Amino acid sequence: MQQSPEEARRDAAEDAQWSRPECQAWTGTLLLGTCLLYCARVSMPICTVSMSQDFGWNKKEAGIVLSSFFWGYCLTQIVGGHLGDRIGGEKVILLSASAWGFITAATPLLAHLGSAQLVFMTFSRILTGLLQGRGTAASVQLSALGVYFPALTSLLSQKVRESERAFTYSTVGAGSQFGTLVTGAVGSLLLDWYGWQSVFYLSGGLTLLWVYYVYRYLLSEQDLILALSVLAQGLPVARHSRVPWRQLFRKPSIWAAIFSQLSAACSFFILLSWLPTFFKETYPSSKGWVFNVVPWLVAIPASVLSGFLSDHLISQGYRTITVRKFMQVMGLGLSSVFALCLGHTSSFCKSVFFASASIGLQTFNHSGVSVNIQDLAPSCAGVLFGEDRSTW
């Protein structure tokens, strides 16, 4: 009996999924990649106070440098997700990591090119945001190849079984907390011993080593060359597939996902960017390794727990949508309560506790709206995830 087109597509999608050993290898590799991405991303917040002293920046100028990352980041999501859907998320991730690793390692050199350090630092942060946000077409491809999270979403939606998706995504997502933890701990020591430049050299250098490992052991050179030629020529690698934007945006679930991403981002990135400055100014005698480490140390097991709990509840018969909503209530609602408490205490210990609880609970978003995008539209998860994150 001949298969229907829908059954044929379903069988093809299942054949393209990773085997268990492949899934384990890629999960570990992507966990490390996410860790290194956040090492590069939070290097600037960790070093802002020292750099402000060296370059004479005031609060406004420091804020411009910190926020400039998101100027590039928010503009680059949709096209990057589209590239992940079309040429393969793993290739886009590799190309993007190559570029942002180089820019991060070169940041101290850019700071000393001339007297306009603020301009050079703002430019480097915008470029880093572009690189961690997307890959574009045509002339911009060489300077901003690839995305990470939209490409990651595209990759996992195509390669991981639905029953294992939340745990895999939350495990990989734990790298964001682990990377922030590593940079907070090691970066604070490097900052005291060798100066702020060493933080950028380390995070950028480790990223480039990770790129070499992925290229050497996990990717086919032929596939990578094909992806590069596609980007250079602007040619499709598969049949043209239109994203049904009108149909998608008529669904309340899509708008709910967009506003959930927006709300989660506002809370998370404010804490990520300004928490070191908050503790340094509110508690001047406190040790940097405490407030730069403890909240993210709590978040790592919380992220893995959220994924395990989500998949366990689904395996016990609870509806997928019910589980996703429960995780989102924890990740947005309860975490926001602790974030509000953070601004209404004068105790250092309580501040660390509230920050840790808020950041830890925010990891439940990995098993909520982040993976729910893959449930709603697996065939165009990358570009849809990019659309959601562009609201950040």
Side-chain angles (χ1 to χ4, degrees):
M1 183 176 180
Q2 188 175 7
Q3 285 184 317
S4 67
E6 183 66 28
E7 291 175 338
R9 282 195 295 269
R10 190 183 303 114
D11 290 343
E14 291 177 356
D15 291 339
Q17 291 176 340
W18 288 325
S19 64
R20 183 58 60 86
E22 287 177 323
C23 187
Q24 292 172 346
W26 272 104
T27 299
T29 301
L30 293 171
L31 169 63
L32 182 57
T34 307
C35 170
L36 293 170
L37 177 140
Y38 269 80
C39 285
R41 185 176 293 187
V42 303
S43 293
M44 186 64 76
I46 291 292
C47 299
T48 296
V49 175
S50 296
M51 295 177 73
S52 297
Q53 294 172 353
D54 286 354
F55 301 136
W57 295 340
N58 56 33
K59 279 281 189 64
K60 180 180 178 180
E61 292 169 332
I64 290 173
V65 174
L66 288 173
S67 64
S68 60
F69 172 88
F70 302 102
W71 300 349
Y73 190 77
C74 70
L75 296 173
T76 59
Q77 301 293 318
I78 299 176
V79 177
H82 177 68
L83 283 178
D85 290 337
R86 297 298 295 277
I87 69 172
E90 67 276 21
K91 305 176 190 69
V92 178
I93 287 171
L94 182 70
L95 297 170
S96 174
S98 303
W100 94 61
F102 176 78
I103 292 296
T104 302
T107 296
L109 303 178
L110 291 174
H112 294 94
L113 284 179
S115 58
Q117 292 90 357
L118 181 65
V119 175
F120 284 118
M121 288 300 95
T122 301
F123 173 75
S124 71
R125 292 296 287 173
I126 291 175
L127 188 56
T128 303
L130 287 168
L131 296 169
Q132 293 186 1
R134 68 146 175 175
T136 66
S139 61
V140 188
Q141 287 170 350
L142 295 179
S143 61
L145 285 173
V147 286
Y148 193 85
F149 280 108
L152 176 66
T153 300
S154 175
L155 178 63
L156 297 185
S157 69
Q158 297 172 24
K159 299 293 187 179
V160 180
R161 296 178 179 86
E162 183 179 355
S163 61
E164 301 174 355
R165 202 171 283 161
F167 179 74
T168 302
Y169 195 94
S170 62
T171 301
V172 172
S176 60
Q177 288 78 38
F178 190 67
T180 308
L181 169 65
V182 169
T183 307
V186 179
S188 296
L189 296 176
L190 290 175
L191 202 59
D192 293 337
W193 294 346
Y194 303 109
W196 59 266
Q197 296 90 341
S198 59
V199 179
F200 290 96
Y201 290 142
L202 180 66
S203 58
L206 290 176
T207 298
L208 294 176
L209 288 176
W210 179 83
V211 167
Y212 174 77
Y213 170 79
V214 174
Y215 171 75
R216 181 70 175 81
Y217 295 104
L218 292 179
L219 280 184
S220 164
E221 183 176 353
Q222 183 178 0
D223 288 343
L224 189 60
I225 292 174
L226 175 61
L228 286 170
S229 66
V230 167
L231 290 172
Q233 299 174 23
L235 298 176
V237 295
R239 65 179 183 85
H240 179 65
S241 56
R242 295 181 57 187
V243 178
W245 292 114
R246 183 176 300 179
Q247 182 181 353
L248 288 174
F249 285 124
R250 286 176 177 172
K251 295 183 177 181
S253 56
I254 298 298
W255 287 105
I258 290 174
F259 285 111
S260 294
Q261 288 276 23
L262 175 62
S263 301
C266 288
S267 179
F268 177 76
F269 281 115
I270 286 174
L271 291 176
L272 178 70
S273 297
W274 288 103
L275 204 59
T277 302
F278 167 79
F279 276 103
K280 201 71 176 179
E281 294 186 349
T282 309
Y283 309 102
S285 60
S286 60
K287 298 295 183 182
W289 64 266
V290 176
F291 57 78
N292 285 330
V293 170
V294 173
W296 309 104
L297 191 61
V298 171
I300 294 171
S303 180
V304 177
L305 173 64
S306 71
F308 173 80
L309 179 60
S310 177
D311 287 345
H312 176 71
L313 291 175
I314 292 173
S315 68
Q316 293 300 308
Y318 290 92
R319 295 177 62 206
T320 300
I321 187 61
T322 302
V323 175
R324 302 290 190 240
K325 288 180 178 179
F326 170 72
M327 293 296 167
Q328 200 59 35
V329 168
M330 298 291 288
L332 278 181
L334 191 55
S335 68
S336 298
V337 173
F338 288 105
L340 290 172
C341 292
L342 181 61
H344 295 84
T345 181
S346 57
S347 167
F348 175 72
C349 292
K350 288 183 179 179
S351 294
V352 172
F353 171 78
F354 290 144
S356 301
S358 180
I359 292 172
L361 286 168
Q362 284 179 14
T363 64
F364 279 63
N365 291 320
H366 294 155
S367 301
V369 65
S370 295
V371 74
N372 186 230
I373 294 296
Q374 303 170 36
D375 300 332
L376 294 172
S379 62
C380 54
V383 68
L384 185 57
F385 188 78
E387 168 67 25
D388 282 0
R389 289 177 72 91
S390 67
T391 63
W392 291 24

